[in-house]
Amino acid sequence: MAETIDASRRTWIKKAGALLAASSIGPIGAARAQPVGAASRKLPAVTAGSHTSFGPLRRVRAGDLEVAYVEAGPASGKPVLLLHGWPYDIHSYLDVAPALAGAGYRVLIPYLRGYGGTRFLSEATPRNGQQAALAVDALALLDALKIETALVAGYDWGARTACILAALWPERCTGLVSVSGYLIGSQQANAMPLPPKAELQWWYQFYFATERGREGYARYTRDFVRLIWELASPQWRFDDATFARSAPAFENPDHVAISIHNYRWRLGLADGEARFDAIERKLAGFPTIAVPTITLEGDANGAPHPDPSAYAKKFSGRYAHRLIAGGVGHNLPQEAPQAFAQAVVDVDGV
């Protein structure tokens, strides 16, 4: 969609990007971002849909959660943490994981809170979907697995979490791959209204702001998720078997609560947890990211996403942006696994 977006939508995206830049604390940085170089090594061909299963699901206690995750590749390999988005799951990386494992990486793909086999350790823990909570989950997982540094990569909620780790804990990140670029947000920024066509793109956010929306998502979860897949990736012709592999992830008992809280928190309609206030204050300043980064965008992304020009200056280190052609939508790692996996390798090569 990056090449076919209409003029009015370009206008609001650029305005939103200008607002983000103007809201940043401090200068962008003394040095302009330097481009990421050519690929250090080319991966073998990766075909979307060529894999249908992972190895056994593993579990580890990490922070508030018992995290369910899959792992591929040698235990001695460089760690790569792959984070999925909403409403998707770990199967977005079915073809990416073996490609990276074959290249010698230790690949870790967790179910986020509210998805799949991941569970809260205590019933008393708030079912909180705010951005800081998910970032702290990712850090806790690295700590639990005794991983000091990892390359982090993701899309949608996963890209936002990866960006937060790279911005606030760069000592833990060797590099970043982020679909749709710089996705760190704040309640203050989200309070600003957008032009009507832009607001229309967020229809589900407003639906979730109502109790009718919460009940509707709970009652029709699978139908809702499938609709989002179709709208966000209008040219992705996924089959029933592909959807069926991911659908059980949304039966997690906390999935609806986490999803609803995430979108209500963004609009200031739900409180976050006080323990994350300091993190959110830092994020509200839209900190720059200095670790080597490649951002990706599909040419047919039907979900709301910023124009690359709006966030390029948020990356002050080695940086490149790639537009992935061929009708690629929002779920880029599953639709274009070759491009996603190659970006990971190229960032590591820096």
Side-chain angles (χ1 to χ4, degrees), residues 89-134:
D89 79 323
I90 63 173
H91 291 89
S92 291
Y93 296 106
L94 265 176
D95 299 310
V96 170
L100 293 177
Y105 292 95
R106 181 187 180 188
V107 184
L108 305 158
I109 315 172
Y111 279 108
L112 304 185
R113 56 169 59 196
Y115 291 81
T118 293
R119 295 291 188 273
F120 283 88
L121 295 175
S122 172
E123 287 297 324
T125 304
R127 274 34 179 182
N128 178 357
Q130 75 181 103
Q131 61 181 356
L134 274 76

Side-chain angles (χ1 to χ4, degrees), residues 130-140 160-161 164-165 169 279 283:
Q130 75 181 103
Q131 61 181 356
L134 274 76
V136 169
D137 288 347
L139 281 177
R160 179 174 297 107
T161 299
I164 292 171
L165 294 183
W169 293 280
I279 295 175
L283 296 177

Side-chain angles (χ1 to χ4, degrees), residues 24-70:
S24 300
I25 294 178
I28 294 298
R32 296 176 62 85
Q34 299 299 310
V36 174
S40 55
R41 51 182 165 154
K42 289 290 185 183
L43 290 173
V46 181
T47 303
S50 58
H51 296 85
T52 58
S53 64
F54 286 113
L57 200 64
R58 306 184 182 200
R59 289 178 171 80
V60 63
R61 290 194 168 203
D64 293 333
L65 306 170
E66 181 181 74
V67 178
Y69 69 102
V70 293

